[in-house]
Amino acid sequence: MKKSALFNVFFYFLVVCIILIVSFPFLWMLLSSFKSQVDIIAWPPKFIFEPTLANYSRVLEEQNFLQYFINSTIVGVVAVGVSLLLGLPAVYSIARFSQHKLSIFILLARLMPGISFLMPWYIIFSRLGLMDSYTALILSHILIALPV
């Protein structure tokens, strides 16, 4: 019984350590967003600083943040929606009819780096007149989301 309690303590300690390691970059970004520019690049890093909201006000005043947010929302929702509409029936048929070769092919296609699609997509989109459009951006995001 004592071994089980010791194992639980070690297990949860290990889980907390892993969570801290994984979440540290996100916490660092969040803390840096409240620092001044001098504090961000200070060496050694400052952990005690006077928080400021100047970075947030600068983003909201100097940038067209609402338009960027709307663009990201439109692209994300449509790309995920189309990926689900196309992907769910495909996954069902792969699982239902045990199409192992097709599932391996999809897995291998997923291993291809995304940068290898850059030039072909650019050529296709420029010839179709889709440059700087939602359609081109949504199609490129579907390429990433669909195999997942």
Side-chain angles (χ1 to χ4, degrees):
M1 192 67 156
K2 194 170 191 167
K3 185 177 180 182
S4 176
L6 183 63
F7 176 77
N8 284 340
V9 168
F10 177 72
F11 175 76
Y12 287 116
F13 175 76
L14 188 64
V15 167
V16 168
C17 288
I18 291 172
I19 288 172
L20 287 175
I21 290 170
V22 169
S23 64
F24 179 76
F26 299 105
L27 294 173
W28 188 259
M29 285 189 308
L30 181 66
L31 281 176
S32 295
S33 73
F34 291 107
K35 292 181 180 181
S36 66
Q37 297 298 323
V38 174
D39 290 339
I40 291 173
I41 61 172
W43 187 260
K46 288 187 175 183
F47 292 101
I48 299 174
F49 58 91
E50 184 177 334
T52 179
L53 295 175
N55 295 329
Y56 289 101
S57 65
R58 190 175 311 123
V59 165
L60 294 174
E61 290 171 2
E62 295 175 9
Q63 304 294 324
N64 195 0
F65 180 76
L66 184 60
Q67 182 63 45
Y68 301 150
F69 181 77
I70 290 170
N71 289 345
S72 297
T73 304
I74 290 171
V75 170
V77 167
V78 173
V80 169
V82 171
S83 295
L84 286 173
L85 281 173
L86 296 174
L88 285 175
V91 169
Y92 176 76
S93 71
I94 290 170
R96 176 77 169 97
F97 300 112
S98 300
Q99 298 173 348
H100 298 293
K101 289 181 182 178
L102 181 59
S103 62
I104 290 172
F105 175 75
I106 291 172
L107 179 63
L108 290 175
R110 182 73 184 125
L111 295 175
M112 183 174 257
I115 196 75
S116 62
F117 297 111
L118 186 62
M119 284 308 294
W121 276 112
Y122 178 77
I123 293 168
I124 291 169
F125 292 152
S126 63
R127 289 189 180 164
L128 293 176
L130 293 175
M131 297 299 290
D132 295 330
S133 69
Y134 282 125
T135 306
L137 198 55
I138 289 169
L139 286 174
S140 63
H141 279 77
I142 288 172
L143 175 74
I144 296 167
L146 191 58
V148 174

PDB file of all heavy atoms in Angstrom, residues 7 9 17 21 25 30 36-37 41 45 51 55-57 63 82-83 92 97 106-107 115 137 142-144 146:
ATOM      1  N   PHE A   7       4.215   5.924  -5.410  1.00  0.00           N
ATOM      2  CA  PHE A   7       4.097   5.987  -6.864  1.00  0.00           C
ATOM      3  C   PHE A   7       3.190   7.133  -7.287  1.00  0.00           C
ATOM      4  O   PHE A   7       3.490   7.855  -8.236  1.00  0.00           O
ATOM      5  CB  PHE A   7       3.571   4.659  -7.413  1.00  0.00           C
ATOM      6  CG  PHE A   7       3.334   4.685  -8.891  1.00  0.00           C
ATOM      7  CD1 PHE A   7       4.397   4.588  -9.780  1.00  0.00           C
ATOM      8  CD2 PHE A   7       2.054   4.836  -9.403  1.00  0.00           C
ATOM      9  CE1 PHE A   7       4.192   4.628 -11.148  1.00  0.00           C
ATOM     10  CE2 PHE A   7       1.833   4.880 -10.764  1.00  0.00           C
ATOM     11  CZ  PHE A   7       2.907   4.765 -11.634  1.00  0.00           C
ATOM     12  N   VAL A   9       2.541   9.940  -5.673  1.00  0.00           N
ATOM     13  CA  VAL A   9       3.225  11.210  -5.428  1.00  0.00           C
ATOM     14  C   VAL A   9       4.238  11.470  -6.544  1.00  0.00           C
ATOM     15  O   VAL A   9       4.304  12.575  -7.087  1.00  0.00           O
ATOM     16  CB  VAL A   9       3.906  11.207  -4.041  1.00  0.00           C
ATOM     17  CG1 VAL A   9       4.845  12.393  -3.897  1.00  0.00           C
ATOM     18  CG2 VAL A   9       2.869  11.198  -2.942  1.00  0.00           C
ATOM     19  N   CYS A  17       5.708  18.700 -13.362  1.00  0.00           N
ATOM     20  CA  CYS A  17       6.951  19.133 -14.003  1.00  0.00           C
ATOM     21  C   CYS A  17       6.786  19.237 -15.520  1.00  0.00           C
ATOM     22  O   CYS A  17       7.221  20.216 -16.138  1.00  0.00           O
ATOM     23  CB  CYS A  17       8.090  18.182 -13.667  1.00  0.00           C
ATOM     24  SG  CYS A  17       8.672  18.315 -11.984  1.00  0.00           S
ATOM     25  N   ILE A  21       7.017  22.646 -17.851  1.00  0.00           N
ATOM     26  CA  ILE A  21       7.947  22.752 -18.977  1.00  0.00           C
ATOM     27  C   ILE A  21       7.202  23.112 -20.267  1.00  0.00           C
ATOM     28  O   ILE A  21       7.642  23.966 -21.031  1.00  0.00           O
ATOM     29  CB  ILE A  21       8.740  21.444 -19.148  1.00  0.00           C
ATOM     30  CG1 ILE A  21       9.722  21.283 -17.989  1.00  0.00           C
ATOM     31  CG2 ILE A  21       9.471  21.407 -20.482  1.00  0.00           C
ATOM     32  CD1 ILE A  21      10.383  19.922 -17.929  1.00  0.00           C
ATOM     33  N   PRO A  25       6.779  28.491 -22.181  1.00  0.00           N
ATOM     34  CA  PRO A  25       6.820  29.497 -23.263  1.00  0.00           C
ATOM     35  C   PRO A  25       5.552  30.346 -23.338  1.00  0.00           C
ATOM     36  O   PRO A  25       5.629  31.548 -23.607  1.00  0.00           O
ATOM     37  CB  PRO A  25       6.987  28.651 -24.532  1.00  0.00           C
ATOM     38  CG  PRO A  25       7.582  27.377 -24.069  1.00  0.00           C
ATOM     39  CD  PRO A  25       7.042  27.140 -22.688  1.00  0.00           C
ATOM     40  N   LEU A  30       2.951  35.601 -22.172  1.00  0.00           N
ATOM     41  CA  LEU A  30       1.948  36.377 -21.455  1.00  0.00           C
ATOM     42  C   LEU A  30       2.604  37.418 -20.558  1.00  0.00           C
ATOM     43  O   LEU A  30       2.187  38.584 -20.542  1.00  0.00           O
ATOM     44  CB  LEU A  30       1.056  35.438 -20.629  1.00  0.00           C
ATOM     45  CG  LEU A  30      -0.067  36.107 -19.846  1.00  0.00           C
ATOM     46  CD1 LEU A  30      -1.072  36.717 -20.811  1.00  0.00           C
ATOM     47  CD2 LEU A  30      -0.726  35.112 -18.933  1.00  0.00           C
ATOM     48  N   SER A  36       7.515  46.440 -20.542  1.00  0.00           N
ATOM     49  CA  SER A  36       7.918  47.475 -21.493  1.00  0.00           C
ATOM     50  C   SER A  36       8.949  46.866 -22.445  1.00  0.00           C
ATOM     51  O   SER A  36       9.490  45.789 -22.198  1.00  0.00           O
ATOM     52  CB  SER A  36       8.505  48.665 -20.748  1.00  0.00           C
ATOM     53  OG  SER A  36       9.716  48.289 -20.125  1.00  0.00           O
ATOM     54  N   GLN A  37       9.240  47.590 -23.532  1.00  0.00           N
ATOM     55  CA  GLN A  37      10.192  47.067 -24.522  1.00  0.00           C
ATOM     56  C   GLN A  37      11.573  46.850 -23.903  1.00  0.00           C
ATOM     57  O   GLN A  37      12.273  45.892 -24.245  1.00  0.00           O
ATOM     58  CB  GLN A  37      10.298  48.030 -25.707  1.00  0.00           C
ATOM     59  CG  GLN A  37       9.003  48.198 -26.478  1.00  0.00           C
ATOM     60  CD  GLN A  37       8.530  46.908 -27.112  1.00  0.00           C
ATOM     61  OE1 GLN A  37       9.318  46.110 -27.578  1.00  0.00           O
ATOM     62  NE2 GLN A  37       7.226  46.693 -27.122  1.00  0.00           N
ATOM     63  N   ILE A  41      13.745  42.868 -23.442  1.00  0.00           N
ATOM     64  CA  ILE A  41      15.063  42.476 -23.936  1.00  0.00           C
ATOM     65  C   ILE A  41      16.152  42.583 -22.868  1.00  0.00           C
ATOM     66  O   ILE A  41      17.334  42.430 -23.174  1.00  0.00           O
ATOM     67  CB  ILE A  41      15.455  43.316 -25.173  1.00  0.00           C
ATOM     68  CG1 ILE A  41      15.515  44.804 -24.826  1.00  0.00           C
ATOM     69  CG2 ILE A  41      14.519  43.043 -26.322  1.00  0.00           C
ATOM     70  CD1 ILE A  41      16.083  45.664 -25.931  1.00  0.00           C
ATOM     71  N   PRO A  45      16.991  38.252 -17.559  1.00  0.00           N
ATOM     72  CA  PRO A  45      15.549  38.534 -17.657  1.00  0.00           C
ATOM     73  C   PRO A  45      14.981  39.030 -16.333  1.00  0.00           C
ATOM     74  O   PRO A  45      15.362  38.567 -15.267  1.00  0.00           O
ATOM     75  CB  PRO A  45      14.944  37.180 -18.019  1.00  0.00           C
ATOM     76  CG  PRO A  45      16.058  36.383 -18.566  1.00  0.00           C
ATOM     77  CD  PRO A  45      17.298  36.874 -17.914  1.00  0.00           C
ATOM     78  N   PRO A  51       4.043  46.173 -14.385  1.00  0.00           N
ATOM     79  CA  PRO A  51       3.217  45.816 -15.546  1.00  0.00           C
ATOM     80  C   PRO A  51       2.616  47.050 -16.229  1.00  0.00           C
ATOM     81  O   PRO A  51       2.304  48.041 -15.583  1.00  0.00           O
ATOM     82  CB  PRO A  51       2.122  44.922 -14.966  1.00  0.00           C
ATOM     83  CG  PRO A  51       2.178  45.086 -13.503  1.00  0.00           C
ATOM     84  CD  PRO A  51       3.476  45.703 -13.145  1.00  0.00           C
ATOM     85  N   ASN A  55       1.414  47.914 -24.504  1.00  0.00           N
ATOM     86  CA  ASN A  55       1.517  47.046 -25.688  1.00  0.00           C
ATOM     87  C   ASN A  55       0.136  46.728 -26.250  1.00  0.00           C
ATOM     88  O   ASN A  55      -0.067  46.711 -27.461  1.00  0.00           O
ATOM     89  CB  ASN A  55       2.251  45.758 -25.346  1.00  0.00           C
ATOM     90  CG  ASN A  55       3.687  46.006 -24.954  1.00  0.00           C
ATOM     91  OD1 ASN A  55       4.313  46.939 -25.432  1.00  0.00           O
ATOM     92  ND2 ASN A  55       4.210  45.167 -24.080  1.00  0.00           N
ATOM     93  N   TYR A  56      -0.813  46.466 -25.368  1.00  0.00           N
ATOM     94  CA  TYR A  56      -2.174  46.164 -25.825  1.00  0.00           C
ATOM     95  C   TYR A  56      -2.831  47.391 -26.446  1.00  0.00           C
ATOM     96  O   TYR A  56      -3.492  47.286 -27.480  1.00  0.00           O
ATOM     97  CB  TYR A  56      -3.019  45.627 -24.670  1.00  0.00           C
ATOM     98  CG  TYR A  56      -2.620  44.239 -24.256  1.00  0.00           C
ATOM     99  CD1 TYR A  56      -1.824  44.027 -23.131  1.00  0.00           C
ATOM    100  CD2 TYR A  56      -3.024  43.143 -24.990  1.00  0.00           C
ATOM    101  CE1 TYR A  56      -1.451  42.748 -22.756  1.00  0.00           C
ATOM    102  CE2 TYR A  56      -2.662  41.859 -24.629  1.00  0.00           C
ATOM    103  CZ  TYR A  56      -1.867  41.672 -23.510  1.00  0.00           C
ATOM    104  OH  TYR A  56      -1.499  40.411 -23.153  1.00  0.00           O
ATOM    105  N   SER A  57      -2.665  48.551 -25.824  1.00  0.00           N
ATOM    106  CA  SER A  57      -3.273  49.753 -26.394  1.00  0.00           C
ATOM    107  C   SER A  57      -2.637  50.094 -27.739  1.00  0.00           C
ATOM    108  O   SER A  57      -3.319  50.542 -28.658  1.00  0.00           O
ATOM    109  CB  SER A  57      -3.146  50.926 -25.424  1.00  0.00           C
ATOM    110  OG  SER A  57      -1.797  51.281 -25.234  1.00  0.00           O
ATOM    111  N   GLN A  63      -2.995  49.206 -35.088  1.00  0.00           N
ATOM    112  CA  GLN A  63      -3.264  48.136 -36.039  1.00  0.00           C
ATOM    113  C   GLN A  63      -4.772  47.978 -36.217  1.00  0.00           C
ATOM    114  O   GLN A  63      -5.557  48.349 -35.362  1.00  0.00           O
ATOM    115  CB  GLN A  63      -2.669  46.814 -35.536  1.00  0.00           C
ATOM    116  CG  GLN A  63      -1.203  46.868 -35.240  1.00  0.00           C
ATOM    117  CD  GLN A  63      -0.365  47.093 -36.481  1.00  0.00           C
ATOM    118  OE1 GLN A  63      -0.690  46.601 -37.553  1.00  0.00           O
ATOM    119  NE2 GLN A  63       0.708  47.836 -36.335  1.00  0.00           N
ATOM    120  N   VAL A  82     -15.328  22.790 -43.655  1.00  0.00           N
ATOM    121  CA  VAL A  82     -15.187  22.019 -44.901  1.00  0.00           C
ATOM    122  C   VAL A  82     -14.377  20.748 -44.650  1.00  0.00           C
ATOM    123  O   VAL A  82     -14.698  19.680 -45.182  1.00  0.00           O
ATOM    124  CB  VAL A  82     -14.546  22.884 -46.011  1.00  0.00           C
ATOM    125  CG1 VAL A  82     -14.189  22.047 -47.218  1.00  0.00           C
ATOM    126  CG2 VAL A  82     -15.481  24.006 -46.399  1.00  0.00           C
ATOM    127  N   SER A  83     -13.350  20.853 -43.813  1.00  0.00           N
ATOM    128  CA  SER A  83     -12.553  19.667 -43.485  1.00  0.00           C
ATOM    129  C   SER A  83     -13.400  18.612 -42.789  1.00  0.00           C
ATOM    130  O   SER A  83     -13.248  17.417 -43.051  1.00  0.00           O
ATOM    131  CB  SER A  83     -11.371  20.052 -42.603  1.00  0.00           C
ATOM    132  OG  SER A  83     -10.483  20.880 -43.301  1.00  0.00           O
ATOM    133  N   TYR A  92     -15.161   7.558 -41.758  1.00  0.00           N
ATOM    134  CA  TYR A  92     -16.136   6.498 -41.507  1.00  0.00           C
ATOM    135  C   TYR A  92     -15.951   5.343 -42.485  1.00  0.00           C
ATOM    136  O   TYR A  92     -15.952   4.174 -42.088  1.00  0.00           O
ATOM    137  CB  TYR A  92     -17.563   7.048 -41.603  1.00  0.00           C
ATOM    138  CG  TYR A  92     -18.604   5.979 -41.449  1.00  0.00           C
ATOM    139  CD1 TYR A  92     -18.904   5.450 -40.202  1.00  0.00           C
ATOM    140  CD2 TYR A  92     -19.272   5.466 -42.558  1.00  0.00           C
ATOM    141  CE1 TYR A  92     -19.850   4.449 -40.051  1.00  0.00           C
ATOM    142  CE2 TYR A  92     -20.217   4.467 -42.432  1.00  0.00           C
ATOM    143  CZ  TYR A  92     -20.502   3.957 -41.180  1.00  0.00           C
ATOM    144  OH  TYR A  92     -21.430   2.967 -41.038  1.00  0.00           O
ATOM    145  N   PHE A  97     -14.971  -0.069 -43.589  1.00  0.00           N
ATOM    146  CA  PHE A  97     -14.626  -1.066 -44.593  1.00  0.00           C
ATOM    147  C   PHE A  97     -13.163  -1.503 -44.519  1.00  0.00           C
ATOM    148  O   PHE A  97     -12.655  -2.109 -45.461  1.00  0.00           O
ATOM    149  CB  PHE A  97     -14.962  -0.539 -45.995  1.00  0.00           C
ATOM    150  CG  PHE A  97     -16.414  -0.209 -46.151  1.00  0.00           C
ATOM    151  CD1 PHE A  97     -16.831   1.101 -46.302  1.00  0.00           C
ATOM    152  CD2 PHE A  97     -17.374  -1.210 -46.111  1.00  0.00           C
ATOM    153  CE1 PHE A  97     -18.172   1.412 -46.432  1.00  0.00           C
ATOM    154  CE2 PHE A  97     -18.718  -0.907 -46.245  1.00  0.00           C
ATOM    155  CZ  PHE A  97     -19.124   0.409 -46.401  1.00  0.00           C
ATOM    156  N   ILE A 106      -2.777   8.041 -46.420  1.00  0.00           N
ATOM    157  CA  ILE A 106      -3.108   9.337 -45.814  1.00  0.00           C
ATOM    158  C   ILE A 106      -2.083   9.708 -44.752  1.00  0.00           C
ATOM    159  O   ILE A 106      -1.654  10.860 -44.654  1.00  0.00           O
ATOM    160  CB  ILE A 106      -4.539   9.320 -45.234  1.00  0.00           C
ATOM    161  CG1 ILE A 106      -5.552   9.245 -46.379  1.00  0.00           C
ATOM    162  CG2 ILE A 106      -4.796  10.552 -44.373  1.00  0.00           C
ATOM    163  CD1 ILE A 106      -6.971   9.021 -45.939  1.00  0.00           C
ATOM    164  N   LEU A 107      -1.670   8.728 -43.967  1.00  0.00           N
ATOM    165  CA  LEU A 107      -0.644   8.981 -42.950  1.00  0.00           C
ATOM    166  C   LEU A 107       0.674   9.399 -43.596  1.00  0.00           C
ATOM    167  O   LEU A 107       1.325  10.342 -43.139  1.00  0.00           O
ATOM    168  CB  LEU A 107      -0.444   7.749 -42.076  1.00  0.00           C
ATOM    169  CG  LEU A 107       0.617   7.866 -40.989  1.00  0.00           C
ATOM    170  CD1 LEU A 107       0.221   8.942 -39.986  1.00  0.00           C
ATOM    171  CD2 LEU A 107       0.806   6.540 -40.291  1.00  0.00           C
ATOM    172  N   ILE A 115       5.761  23.091 -46.489  1.00  0.00           N
ATOM    173  CA  ILE A 115       6.464  24.031 -47.356  1.00  0.00           C
ATOM    174  C   ILE A 115       6.594  23.498 -48.778  1.00  0.00           C
ATOM    175  O   ILE A 115       6.717  24.270 -49.732  1.00  0.00           O
ATOM    176  CB  ILE A 115       7.845  24.378 -46.752  1.00  0.00           C
ATOM    177  CG1 ILE A 115       8.440  25.613 -47.391  1.00  0.00           C
ATOM    178  CG2 ILE A 115       8.796  23.213 -46.881  1.00  0.00           C
ATOM    179  CD1 ILE A 115       7.807  26.879 -46.947  1.00  0.00           C
ATOM    180  N   LEU A 137      -6.659  31.167 -49.174  1.00  0.00           N
ATOM    181  CA  LEU A 137      -6.243  30.933 -47.796  1.00  0.00           C
ATOM    182  C   LEU A 137      -7.001  29.763 -47.180  1.00  0.00           C
ATOM    183  O   LEU A 137      -6.415  28.921 -46.487  1.00  0.00           O
ATOM    184  CB  LEU A 137      -6.459  32.211 -46.982  1.00  0.00           C
ATOM    185  CG  LEU A 137      -5.732  32.325 -45.663  1.00  0.00           C
ATOM    186  CD1 LEU A 137      -4.242  32.131 -45.846  1.00  0.00           C
ATOM    187  CD2 LEU A 137      -6.017  33.680 -45.044  1.00  0.00           C
ATOM    188  N   ILE A 142      -7.267  24.047 -45.513  1.00  0.00           N
ATOM    189  CA  ILE A 142      -7.920  22.739 -45.631  1.00  0.00           C
ATOM    190  C   ILE A 142      -6.873  21.668 -45.916  1.00  0.00           C
ATOM    191  O   ILE A 142      -6.965  20.552 -45.393  1.00  0.00           O
ATOM    192  CB  ILE A 142      -9.008  22.760 -46.729  1.00  0.00           C
ATOM    193  CG1 ILE A 142     -10.204  23.583 -46.248  1.00  0.00           C
ATOM    194  CG2 ILE A 142      -9.461  21.364 -47.105  1.00  0.00           C
ATOM    195  CD1 ILE A 142     -11.245  23.832 -47.319  1.00  0.00           C
ATOM    196  N   LEU A 143      -5.875  21.998 -46.712  1.00  0.00           N
ATOM    197  CA  LEU A 143      -4.799  21.054 -47.010  1.00  0.00           C
ATOM    198  C   LEU A 143      -4.119  20.589 -45.720  1.00  0.00           C
ATOM    199  O   LEU A 143      -3.717  19.426 -45.586  1.00  0.00           O
ATOM    200  CB  LEU A 143      -3.774  21.709 -47.941  1.00  0.00           C
ATOM    201  CG  LEU A 143      -2.537  20.878 -48.251  1.00  0.00           C
ATOM    202  CD1 LEU A 143      -2.921  19.780 -49.224  1.00  0.00           C
ATOM    203  CD2 LEU A 143      -1.464  21.753 -48.820  1.00  0.00           C
ATOM    204  N   ILE A 144      -4.004  21.469 -44.749  1.00  0.00           N
ATOM    205  CA  ILE A 144      -3.375  21.125 -43.475  1.00  0.00           C
ATOM    206  C   ILE A 144      -4.360  20.383 -42.562  1.00  0.00           C
ATOM    207  O   ILE A 144      -4.009  19.410 -41.912  1.00  0.00           O
ATOM    208  CB  ILE A 144      -2.852  22.393 -42.785  1.00  0.00           C
ATOM    209  CG1 ILE A 144      -1.749  23.017 -43.632  1.00  0.00           C
ATOM    210  CG2 ILE A 144      -2.343  22.087 -41.382  1.00  0.00           C
ATOM    211  CD1 ILE A 144      -1.380  24.424 -43.216  1.00  0.00           C
ATOM    212  N   LEU A 146      -7.350  18.765 -43.255  1.00  0.00           N
ATOM    213  CA  LEU A 146      -8.077  17.579 -43.720  1.00  0.00           C
ATOM    214  C   LEU A 146      -7.417  16.258 -43.339  1.00  0.00           C
ATOM    215  O   LEU A 146      -8.092  15.362 -42.850  1.00  0.00           O
ATOM    216  CB  LEU A 146      -8.315  17.664 -45.240  1.00  0.00           C
ATOM    217  CG  LEU A 146      -9.275  16.638 -45.817  1.00  0.00           C
ATOM    218  CD1 LEU A 146     -10.635  16.735 -45.141  1.00  0.00           C
ATOM    219  CD2 LEU A 146      -9.450  16.869 -47.299  1.00  0.00           C
TER     220      LEU A 146
END
